[in-house]
Amino acid sequence: ADRQGALTQEQLNAFCMGMQQYADEFDATVVFPQRSAKLNTARELDEFCASVDVLIGLNILPVTKPFPVEKIRVLAEKAGLLRGPDGNFHYRSDSGKTLFTLTNHDESPFGTTSEGLTLLFDVPRVAGGLAVFDYLADFAQTLSTALEGTLADDNGKVLTESSLDNIRAQLADIYARMDDRGIAAGSMAALRLFA
């Protein structure tokens, strides 16, 4: 399973046929036990993954005038974010994995001003997610204050300290469910499942 969905009967058949051809070339025998059980397992895994596949977006919206991108750059770099080849700012782990990004709210490339910003956090792909979310939330509040903007959710509803605490509690639940399933957030398995 991955973000495209669970393994299908057709994909499994194609894999088995390929393995059979390979085995035939070397006069080997290949066995495919419990094919229908594997398909059921793939569907169950896909359903679980869909239930924890969350992308958190915190938005900083202007109150009166657009934000100057040069000021955004300075604040982002001060917080440890670097501009990537895609033009967005990335906060990365020591190993170089993106932990969260800062983008234009309308997903357009940054110009000289911005009509709003979005901080994106791909929950299942981030190891140490609660600590990263805490840093993200602090940075969002700092950025919002410095730019004299409003911190809001995707529906434009203002986010308060209590709202951020609720998001954090939901994150803790998601991470606990992933751990119970043996899929640590940010692990190789999680990166493969949520690709």
Side-chain angles (χ1 to χ4, degrees), residues 179-193:
D179 285 343
D180 289 347
R181 190 73 185 232
I183 306 168
S187 66
M188 291 304 290
L191 296 177
R192 201 174 101 238
L193 287 166

Side-chain angles (χ1 to χ4, degrees), residues 169-183:
Q170 292 170 9
L171 276 177
D173 177 63
I174 288 170
Y175 286 133
R177 289 171 48 213
M178 288 181 72
D179 285 343
D180 289 347
R181 190 73 185 232
I183 306 168

Side-chain angles (χ1 to χ4, degrees), residues 15-143:
F15 173 77
C16 291
M17 284 174 46
M19 291 304 297
Q20 185 63 58
Q21 289 172 352
Y22 183 78
D24 290 346
E25 286 180 35
F26 295 96
D27 288 328
T29 303
V30 64
V31 188
F32 305 106
Q34 303 175 352
R35 288 171 65 167
S36 60
K38 300 298 183 199
L39 289 171
N40 289 336
T41 301
R43 279 191 291 276
E44 289 171 9
L45 179 60
D46 185 56
E47 288 172 15
F48 170 76
C49 289
S51 75
V52 297
D53 194 4
V54 176
L55 180 67
I56 293 175
L58 303 181
N59 303 294
I60 299 144
L61 306 173
V63 175
T64 55
K65 58 184 179 180
F67 303 134
V69 170
E70 182 56 24
K71 186 171 185 178
I72 294 166
R73 183 192 64 76
V74 169
L75 292 165
E77 289 177 357
K78 183 177 178 185
L81 285 79
L82 296 174
R83 204 162 197 175
D86 61 359
N88 296 320
F89 294 91
H90 296 261
Y91 184 71
R92 298 183 188 275
S93 66
D94 292 339
S95 64
K97 292 180 184 168
T98 295
L99 301 176
F100 64 83
T101 57
L102 173 65
T103 67
N104 248 335
H105 184 62
D106 63 5
E107 299 178 15
S108 66
F110 282 108
T112 56
T113 61
S114 173
E115 295 293 333
L117 302 169
T118 300
L119 288 155
L120 294 172
F121 177 66
D122 195 349
V123 172
R125 293 182 58 87
V126 178
L130 291 176
V132 174
F133 177 76
D134 291 342
Y135 187 77
L136 167 74
D138 287 345
F139 175 59
Q141 291 170 313
T142 299
L143 198 57

